[in-house]
Amino acid sequence: AIMKPLPITLRVLKNSKRLEDELRGFGFRPVKESDVSFQLCPEEDGDATQQQQRKPIDPLIMKEFMSNTWIIDQAARKESQLGVFLSEARISGEILQQELNSMMPVSILVSILKKKMAKEQNCDSSFMSSTRPIRFLDLCAAPGSKTCQLITALDTILVEDRDQEQKRCNDFVIVANELNPSRAIQLRQRCFQQCGSRSLSHFLITNADGRDFENVEEGSFDFIICDVPCSGDGTIRRSPDLLHKWSTKNAEKNKPVQQGLLKVALKRLRPGGICVYSTCSLNPIENDEVVEETLNELNTISTNEYSLFNLEGSSEGSCDSLRILPAASHGGFFVAAIHRKESETGDKANIEVNHDECSVELVWKNNQSNKASVAYATSPCTSNLSAHISERLGPPISCGVPVMYKAKDENSPVILQEGCAALNALHDGLVSVVQLSKLQLGECAGHVDGRTLCIPKKLFTHINKKTTALIIRVNADDVILLPAKMIHTQKLDGTKNIDDGVSYEVEIIARPQILKRLICG
């Protein structure tokens, strides 16, 4: 199994019967528990026979892990058109391609969050207050698969579910940090492309060495993902050359950096919070030793402030880390969830917070090249934490999500949830709006290729000669807004009324692949 190519695995972000039929048509099937090979690692040495026995993982973790997760077996692949389908579905935000083992850290974190929220509803937890913002940190975030997985999960847990139940909503913020500047930009682009815009208003991207977070207030975050750089000996199937290059020296070289990152992460953890440490390695040097030595350093003789979190799901279970062994459906991985003991006296937020409901504020930023303005939707907690981090690490790369664009001569702003940056790159002219049904969208797309549309003038709510950009509002299952630029005007033959016969050809300038997904749906 180790020498065979990895199967394709993905998470469905937008459920629909059409998408499910497409996945099954290409040979995908839902992931089963038997697809994964788990081994819980005992905290202390025990009977050898007991250690060889497979311990059960917490059912809530497994449920979160397998939820909306699909796999395609090598023998079942239908190569023709599969690549096109995956590209279009990914760019349109319907799926998130991710290796199966890489999904586990966020699955553990989200399952623990759900447990704490359930305790809050039963008035059995002081950690989760209905008015206190929840702060998440992904310390080494690029390329962004775990960040996207977390954002889409929170879009359901903290936004959709509570909206439907009309409950008071915690404000929350997700900080994604990446050391490499170009990878940080790619992280931003990937998250903006694939994630729901509501959670992105709670999204903050920083570009710093993760160890520099020691300058941020201690106890600033409730949940932390610490997926550290490693030698990658669990990824041999993806990178066969590592089999011949790996040595213990590589692992020993990484160890100080890993310990430094984990130590900083644990110190930023709020009492009662959870940090999930992970690597794509299997050797004990970068995993068990890093965790054990870091905990020993931070825990004093009088108080064991940090401890491994029980992943078995039973109160009688031992505290274990999780080793995911290479198998037919995935590579190798190591995960350990670390809990910081709750304070007996309670804790106070050391960053100013807004205790109102989960509202969003608009922050307008000017584009000097065309004197247009872009509004970023940002939650109060995100703004406050951004100011705090800016003082200690420098300004973030991104804070919130662009949702409105206002041209220099436009009287009122235009709502935009997708591709605002692309639209803002246009230098002159006005922005107009057209609203289409899915049927009308298909008819307009039938005139030209998949990236451009031919839209009759009569469908426009507002248009004039200076219009150079366009917002296409599509009423599908969800309202989708696409930015486009005007190409030219043409007169349709055989029409008596000149206005009825005028058609505008426009080109989609962000996420054009979503057109086909909408039309086919």
Side-chain angles (χ1 to χ4, degrees), residues 264-432:
V264 167
L266 293 178
K267 296 288 281 185
R268 295 328 103 191
L269 202 60
R270 177 190 170 209
I274 295 289
C275 173
V276 178
Y277 174 85
S278 62
T279 74
C280 52
S281 294
L282 294 174
N283 69 82
I285 298 172
E286 299 177 271
N287 298 319
D288 310 78
E289 290 184 15
V290 169
V291 172
E292 182 179 357
E293 292 175 14
T294 304
L295 292 184
N296 288 340
E297 180 182 351
L298 293 180
N299 288 331
T300 63
I301 298 176
S302 58
T303 62
N304 290 322
E305 191 172 0
Y306 301 94
S307 60
L308 286 172
F309 188 85
N310 177 19
L311 299 178
E312 282 192 66
S314 63
S315 57
E316 294 79 16
S318 61
C319 297
D320 300 297
S321 51
L322 176 63
R323 201 179 301 278
I324 301 178
L325 303 176
S329 60
H330 56 76
F333 216 74
F334 175 88
V335 188
I338 302 169
H339 174 258
R340 186 174 187 179
K341 186 169 66 174
E342 290 195 41
S343 173
E344 296 179 0
T345 58
D347 71 305
K348 296 181 180 180
N350 42 16
I351 299 174
E352 183 181 352
V353 297
N354 187 313
H355 293 289
D356 293 335
E357 291 191 7
C358 195
S359 57
V360 171
E361 57 190 17
L362 293 180
V363 179
W364 286 92
K365 297 183 180 180
N366 292 326
N367 183 324
Q368 298 300 324
S369 64
N370 60 5
K371 298 180 181 179
S373 298
V374 179
Y376 287 78
T378 309
S379 76
C381 177
T382 307
S383 296
N384 291 332
L385 189 57
S386 175
H388 175 79
I389 289 177
S390 295
E391 295 176 357
R392 291 158 174 78
L393 299 178
I397 288 179
S398 176
C399 180
V401 60
V403 293
M404 286 188 180
Y405 176 91
K406 184 159 58 177
K408 58 184 179 181
D409 296 324
E410 195 77 1
N411 294 324
S412 58
V414 176
I415 297 176
L416 175 66
Q417 293 179 344
E418 305 287 355
C420 189
L423 186 62
N424 197 39
L426 299 177
H427 295 294
D428 299 301
L430 301 178
V431 178
S432 296

Side-chain angles (χ1 to χ4, degrees), residues 81-115:
Q81 299 301 312
L82 176 60
V84 175
F85 162 74
L86 291 173
S87 175
E88 292 178 348
R90 184 176 62 252
I91 294 175
S92 64
E94 292 177 285
I95 65 170
L96 172 65
Q97 276 187 255
Q98 188 178 5
E99 287 188 30
L100 205 58
N101 44 283
S102 177
M103 300 178 189
M104 183 52 72
V106 175
S107 298
I108 291 174
L109 187 148
V110 170
S111 67
I112 295 173
L113 170 63
K114 288 181 176 180
K115 285 183 179 180

Side-chain angles (χ1 to χ4, degrees), residues 100-321:
L100 205 58
N101 44 283
S102 177
M103 300 178 189
M104 183 52 72
V106 175
S107 298
I108 291 174
L109 187 148
V110 170
S111 67
I112 295 173
L113 170 63
K114 288 181 176 180
K115 285 183 179 180
K116 289 183 176 289
M117 292 180 70
K119 287 185 177 181
E120 174 208 347
Q121 292 177 3
N122 296 329
C123 301
D124 191 27
S125 173
S126 60
F127 179 80
M128 297 287 290
S129 167
S130 61
T131 59
R132 190 194 185 282
I134 310 172
R135 303 189 190 92
F136 301 83
L137 170 62
D138 191 347
L139 196 58
C140 309
S145 59
K146 296 177 188 64
T147 308
C148 288
Q149 183 186 352
L150 177 61
I151 292 173
T152 52
L154 296 180
D155 202 37
T156 300
I157 300 170
L158 296 178
V159 181
E160 287 183 8
D161 288 353
R162 293 203 167 192
D163 282 352
Q164 292 172 4
E165 296 176 16
Q166 295 182 339
K167 292 182 179 179
R168 187 176 178 84
C169 178
N170 291 77
D171 194 359
F172 63 98
V173 59
I174 308 159
V175 179
N177 178 68
E178 170 54 37
L179 171 61
N180 185 288
S182 60
R183 281 165 61 87
I185 296 297
Q186 292 171 0
L187 168 69
R188 178 184 185 274
Q189 293 172 341
R190 181 176 187 180
C191 292
F192 274 34
Q193 181 185 84
Q194 295 191 301
C195 301
S197 57
R198 287 182 296 180
S199 287
L200 286 175
S201 62
H202 304 260
F203 189 43
L204 188 65
I205 301 179
T206 56
N207 174 211
D209 187 321
R211 290 168 292 185
D212 290 342
F213 269 75
E214 66 180 0
N215 298 318
V216 176
E217 294 275 358
E218 289 193 17
S220 295
F221 296 94
D222 304 282
F223 298 93
I224 299 177
I225 300 172
C226 189
D227 185 53
V228 298
C230 65
S231 62
D233 57 51
T235 65
I236 292 173
R237 292 178 66 186
R238 189 177 63 197
S239 307
D241 291 345
L242 287 174
L243 185 63
H244 308 289
K245 296 178 180 179
W246 191 90
S247 70
T248 55
K249 291 183 178 179
N250 294 336
E252 292 286 359
K253 184 179 179 181
N254 291 326
K255 187 176 176 181
V257 176
Q258 295 164 341
Q259 287 178 315
L261 289 166
L262 180 57
K263 181 179 177 181
V264 167
L266 293 178
K267 296 288 281 185
R268 295 328 103 191
L269 202 60
R270 177 190 170 209
I274 295 289
C275 173
V276 178
Y277 174 85
S278 62
T279 74
C280 52
S281 294
L282 294 174
N283 69 82
I285 298 172
E286 299 177 271
N287 298 319
D288 310 78
E289 290 184 15
V290 169
V291 172
E292 182 179 357
E293 292 175 14
T294 304
L295 292 184
N296 288 340
E297 180 182 351
L298 293 180
N299 288 331
T300 63
I301 298 176
S302 58
T303 62
N304 290 322
E305 191 172 0
Y306 301 94
S307 60
L308 286 172
F309 188 85
N310 177 19
L311 299 178
E312 282 192 66
S314 63
S315 57
E316 294 79 16
S318 61
C319 297
D320 300 297
S321 51

